[in-house]
Amino acid sequence: MNRRMLRTRWLAAALLPLAACDLDEVTVPVGEEILVVHGIMRPDVPPRFSGFQFIAVERAFSGARGRPGPLINPITRDTIHAARDTMAIPHGGELAIPVKGATVEVVNLDDAAGPCAGPVTFTDHGDDGVYWSPLGCPSMRPGDRLALRVETLEGELVTGQTRIPGMDSATIAISGVVGTIDPAQRFTINRDSDTLRVVAYARAGRLLQLEVRRQGDIRDFGTKLLADTTALTVPGDLINTFVLGDEDDVFRAGRDYVVTVAVTDTNYFDFVRSSNNEFTGRGFINRLTGGIGVFGSMVTATTQVRAIAEIDDPREGRYRVQGVLQDTISVDVEWELYLARPVGQTEYSAFVQGRWLYGDIATSADGSFDDDVFSMVVTDTLVVVRRDTLLGTWVGNQEWSVTVVAACTVAPEGLRPGQVDPCAPERRLLGTLRVTRQ
Amino acid sequence: MDVFVRKFTGKITGWLAYGYAKTQRTADTLTFPPSHDRRHTLNVVMQAPGPLRGQLGVRLGFGSPLPYTGIVGQWLHRNYNSELHVFDHFETESVSREINGERFPFYARIDVGLRWRVEKWGGVLRPYVQVVNVLNRKNVWVYAFDYDQVPPTRSGLSQLPFLPAVGVEFEF
């Protein structure tokens, strides 16, 4: 269920007593399969794409044909992403109705003499409706105008234009510590007392976007904060309002985050700030001609932020966990545990660092307290997708123990008929570890 | 244009009100009828002696169709992950025709009520029975379309259904 739809339905539910009567479902004529185009041009395209841009071309649902199953892009399939996320484009995702064989061209209107001069043709390498640029093209300098032209085999035409933003640098300031936003840097925010301020030294930009996502969890919807200025300050205890019914924080103590500062063009700004209402169909600011979607551009700067908090509960703090698992594997890790803020405080997150079952780890784990009954799931997404489960009873400052249940691999396609759930609670016991307060 | 006729005398009293209106909005270069553009509105209210020495009240409401924006499809409004340069989530949204280019069915409702007046306990008791939307007509409040399946369908919510109520007022 998407979130805007959820909001609309909450509103409808609130008004339901005034109406409280469903209309009969009736069949309506088939609608229109209009073209949907998604393309964000990135002069600073992340290294994993090695200088390639992409544009996804699909059709809207009209009721003429059903939704296809999830598609996996055979060219860029990434084992971890394919296992963890079946929604992403282009790693492997679901296009409504992919458009194959279209002519997709992007031309830099302000660079007639460069190596990428003239229309740059994006090509599809599969049946997934994702079209890829040649290496390093089109050229993109701050202020350049890029024009998109998509023509299908049926003769439909979609056009759009974006102006490339630029950013000389960006800085971050947390509790008096100021630094350049850099992927190799890691800052620490105390969510109870600190604020986070980012400043972008931008050129040709329309929007500043601050995107906060939990590190290593690409399923995380994250938080996007938008401002039509070049600086943004957020408190450490900011609530993630995108999570309905399960209120969460932007920064939860015990977790590492990736903070991305982006300067974007007008098209992207309109794309993220507007949406069509479920009932009226209106609201989305469409900057494409002949179709719907976005042809925009952005430049980004990324850094890491570790979230901590005040220690104000006896269950919070540092623990050392030691012992032997599977008779031979020596384990020695340290937890830095923080309860989550929402009422009840049964959930927590913890930094986990040390020698674990399969080697050294430095990650963040989640768990919960049911009174004093403790559970934790250590999920490692960097080496292999595992879910090691720890169970025990918390006894304060005395030594206590946790049992460790075997990890399970999360299958990308889910369970096959008749297959035993590898993540079932009764899976194999690996051993018991000692837990001591530090 | 409005017409209002009222009858004060006789056993049967009441009034009739009719309104004719036409509304248009212009935003930028676009001209369209707003959501409240109702051409004809008719209300008839009648009071007459009822059973058991009560008073019968009847109200008839009619409204010509209101405009709404037709939906012709659904698209996936995707969420861009700027860290990884992927579209990783989406929200399903409607694709619409021209603004308020279509009309709901006409609106009609009949309400009936019975009231009595009894002097009791040093005050006045007024028990009543009333029924809203006697004919249980499903006047459309909102449509919801689903183009994600074959064939596409339309459902929705109606306004007040058949709604009986019983009560008593005490004035002292």
Side-chain angles (χ1 to χ4, degrees), chain A residues 65-77:
Chain A
R65 41 185 160 175
R67 181 181 289 222
L71 300 172
I72 301 296
N73 186 327
I75 299 172
T76 60
R77 179 170 178 158

Side-chain angles (χ1 to χ4, degrees), chain B residues 108-125:
Chain B
R109 204 178 90 188
I110 297 175
D111 305 333
V112 177
L114 275 169
R115 297 174 70 89
W116 293 269
R117 185 180 187 281
V118 181
E119 291 189 6
K120 195 85 172 174
W121 303 314
V124 178
L125 272 174

Side-chain angles (χ1 to χ4, degrees), chain A residues 286-306:
Chain A
N286 186 31
R287 297 294 181 190
L288 294 177
T289 302
I292 195 168
V294 64
F295 178 61
S297 52
M298 71 164 59
V299 289
T300 67
T302 297
T303 193
Q304 305 170 63
V305 172
R306 166 161 287 197

